[in-house]
Amino acid sequence: MTRGRRGGLLALLLSVPALAEAGTLLATRESGEPIARFEAPEGAEWCVLWRHSVKGFEVADCYENRGGRMVLVRSHLPDFAAGLDHIPGRGRQVSDGRGGYFILDIDEPVPGDAYVLRPGAGDVDHRLRMGDREVSLSAAAPRERVRIALIGTDE
């Protein structure tokens, strides 16, 4: 390879920063068995959804891949029902125009880029949604420990 071509290839490789932040969103059972896998490049967003156990409405916590880190960015809570509240200083609360609210600008990195969730069974239906694809964690692993993690492509 000529020197000019090598320089061009090096410049091309250095201009692709997304390679360092590419990732995979992975939900696994405690045994390590995969339940769901989504490609999650830099800037990708996904939500964990579930239905409130008393009121039955859908609640959402939404995350983003920021520089290879899992960051909680916003939540939607359609009501001020039991167990749902905004913590002052953690994002900003705005009306959703239908009696509920959004908590925006949370921008909180998830420690270790992973957490454990115990999906509720039945009507609670914990789900993982990215784009138009949705996987029911409750259907796959009701009441089991499920780890949701953003991992690098080399893991």
Side-chain angles (χ1 to χ4, degrees):
M1 181 179 281
T2 67
R3 183 175 179 177
R5 284 189 177 163
R6 277 186 296 201
L9 179 60
L10 179 59
L12 175 64
L13 290 174
L14 292 175
S15 71
V16 186
L19 291 176
E21 290 88 20
T24 300
L25 181 64
L26 184 62
T28 56
R29 287 187 163 83
E30 194 167 14
S31 67
E33 178 187 352
I35 297 171
R37 178 185 297 265
F38 298 87
E39 292 306 310
E42 168 71 24
E45 292 187 3
W46 63 90
C47 296
V48 174
L49 312 162
W50 71 94
R51 291 191 189 93
H52 190 271
S53 60
V54 176
K55 297 279 194 163
F57 53 68
E58 185 173 272
V59 177
D61 287 323
C62 299
Y63 302 82
E64 182 179 318
N65 176 349
R66 287 193 186 161
R69 300 287 323 270
M70 180 189 293
V71 178
L72 176 62
V73 292
R74 71 182 176 283
S75 293
H76 181 237
L77 304 111
D79 193 326
F80 290 90
L84 303 179
D85 199 3
H86 172 236
I87 300 168
R90 187 175 183 239
R92 60 186 175 89
Q93 179 180 319
V94 298
S95 173
D96 70 359
R98 298 175 303 221
Y101 58 101
F102 292 99
I103 303 172
L104 305 175
D105 304 324
I106 299 172
D107 300 328
E108 183 176 286
V110 174
D113 301 314
Y115 64 94
V116 174
L117 171 74
R118 192 174 298 271
D123 292 339
V124 173
D125 194 20
H126 280 90
R127 289 155 286 137
L128 191 55
R129 179 187 295 158
M130 181 180 282
D132 60 358
R133 188 168 158 229
E134 188 172 290
V135 174
S136 173
L137 302 174
S138 292
R143 298 188 181 100
E144 292 182 39
R145 290 172 49 94
V146 172
R147 182 174 187 262
I148 300 172
L150 178 63
I151 59 172
T153 56
D154 58 344
E155 294 181 45

